[in-house]
Amino acid sequence: MGGMRTVTLYWNHICIMHNFEKEHLGRVRDRLLRHGIDLRVTYFGMGYDGHMSSYLRKDNALLPDIMVSADLEVFENARIAEKIGACHPALSWVERKDTPAVRAVVRDEALLPFVIIPLTAYGNASCEGRSFLEIVERKRVAFGGIDNSAAKTVVKAVWERYGEQAARKVLTECRVTNMPIEAFQAARVGAVDVAVAPSLYGLRADGISRVHSVFEEGSFLLPTYFCARKSVDEETARIVRDEVMSLEALDFYARNADLIACAVSARFESSQEHASRVWAVDPSFALGLGRRFYDMYCGVLGAAENLS
């Protein structure tokens, strides 16, 4: 295959890891040039012009060849998912760990799980053995962020398991922050009793005045997926995948962010790696919610972006 091939990558980053991600993708770009691949990266998320889903829902949006996204609305919003079109069966390209968490985030053959952010409980009391709804009923709870998948995953998971009214109650009675770190900070200073936040933050608990724990249902799972559209040939997409999801990246995320790296080859483990209880949203359920989700979510949270 001669000549330089241009490949466009849309990346909706994990904001707390973004400095590493930019450096990593810079190295990836340099390595891919040696393969005759000119990788053009467009970033989405905090600090950029909105989330990937906000852009892709526009009528004039340009579609990329490859997406790496923790913005799950890209895959859970039917309008956007339909627009993406035919994709390579990337799920089969990497051997995955056989753990409850990784099994729970497998969706379809087009979406290859990269890493998973476990959302756990941090606060002034342990939530072990107690359901999330019980904690919401009895404690001041915060989670975030409003316009990213961390908050939406919590609401969709509650809706799937306990129904729409329970999801509405959670939104109404909890403090929903702009970003997950703000929920953590609220619990850290005692403005709320419990924060639902990435386990990385929970690990900062001292086990005395602040406790890191998991709800009875398990930790909420927020996965990042690699997806390659058929606008790029499979050989090229596989080469890009190899570089983007390198051992270096997998190990960095697990070691420095307590993320679950989904590939068997990963050498470091999250504190939540072998959890037997996990709480993931069924993709068909999420897709089926359609505008009902946005009507309820944005109806309660007037400041939330409506993607319907």
Side-chain angles (χ1 to χ4, degrees):
M1 199 179 294
M4 187 69 72
R5 293 159 281 170
T6 298
V7 176
T8 55
L9 167 64
Y10 284 3
W11 183 279
N12 206 116
H13 61 266
I14 300 164
C15 59
I16 57 171
M17 295 289 109
H18 190 45
N19 287 338
F20 162 77
E21 293 180 336
K22 288 185 75 173
E23 293 169 4
H24 168 59
L25 290 175
R27 293 189 292 269
V28 166
R29 175 174 164 74
D30 290 343
R31 290 196 296 266
L32 288 174
L33 286 171
R34 299 173 206 152
H35 291 279
I37 298 170
D38 179 13
L39 185 69
R40 308 282 180 87
V41 183
T42 301
Y43 294 101
F44 296 88
M46 187 173 153
Y48 294 92
D49 295 330
H51 294 284
M52 194 188 299
S53 56
S54 304
Y55 173 73
L56 288 177
R57 70 182 290 272
K58 295 177 181 177
D59 292 335
N60 62 347
L62 299 176
L63 294 170
D65 298 311
I66 294 173
M67 294 171 283
V68 175
S69 185
D71 176 8
L72 297 181
E73 297 307 296
V74 171
F75 312 113
E76 294 180 356
N77 180 298
R79 176 180 172 184
I80 298 170
E82 183 178 347
K83 186 185 290 189
I84 289 171
C87 298
H88 292 290
L91 180 66
S92 64
W93 295 356
V94 176
E95 184 180 2
R96 301 176 307 282
K97 294 172 179 173
D98 186 21
T99 62
V102 176
R103 289 196 300 269
V105 301
V106 171
R107 296 190 170 213
D108 61 48
E109 63 179 13
L111 301 182
L112 173 61
F114 183 1
V115 292
I116 305 167
I117 306 172
L119 303 176
T120 54
Y122 167 92
N124 58 24
S126 174
C127 297
E128 289 290 341
R130 301 170 72 180
S131 77
F132 180 56
L133 292 187
E134 179 188 351
I135 297 298
V136 170
E137 188 80 37
R138 299 184 179 187
K139 301 285 186 181
R140 297 170 301 164
V141 177
F143 62 92
I146 289 174
D147 282 327
N148 68 38
S149 290
K152 292 173 184 175
T153 292
V154 170
V155 175
K156 289 177 182 179
V158 171
W159 192 329
E160 181 182 10
R161 182 171 291 213
Y162 297 114
E164 180 178 356
Q165 290 311 308
R168 182 185 297 275
K169 180 182 176 70
V170 164
L171 271 182
T172 303
E173 298 194 3
C174 294
R175 178 189 296 192
V176 186
T177 60
N178 287 323
M179 296 298 294
I181 193 171
E182 295 171 356
F184 163 73
Q185 296 287 14
R188 187 181 65 82
V189 301
V192 298
D193 300 308
V194 175
V196 180
S199 58
L200 171 66
Y201 300 136
L203 291 175
R204 300 178 187 179
D206 59 14
I208 303 169
S209 64
R210 295 293 180 269
V211 180
H212 181 213
S213 57
V214 175
F215 302 107
E216 181 183 37
E217 298 92 342
S219 55
F220 295 95
L221 300 182
L222 177 55
T224 293
Y225 292 103
F226 173 97
C227 178
R229 299 178 61 246
K230 288 192 174 178
S231 56
V232 64
D233 65 273
E234 181 173 335
E235 178 189 354
T236 301
R238 281 178 175 266
I239 293 171
V240 173
R241 201 256 8 127
D242 289 345
E243 295 292 350
V244 168
M245 294 175 61
S246 66
L247 265 180
E248 173 196 31
L250 293 170
D251 291 348
F252 181 91
Y253 283 125
R255 190 176 63 243
N256 295 284
D258 200 46
L259 305 191
I260 299 170
C262 297
V264 163
S265 58
R267 295 169 294 197
F268 293 87
E269 294 189 338
S270 162
S271 67
Q272 305 301 306
E273 192 82 28
H274 300 289
S276 58
R277 293 173 288 125
V278 292
W279 200 357
V281 178
D282 180 82
S284 59
F285 173 82
L287 272 171
L289 284 177
R291 68 177 304 145
R292 287 175 61 206
F293 172 76
Y294 300 108
D295 287 348
M296 192 277 282
Y297 191 80
C298 300
V300 177
L301 304 176
E305 181 183 16
N306 193 325
L307 294 177
S308 66

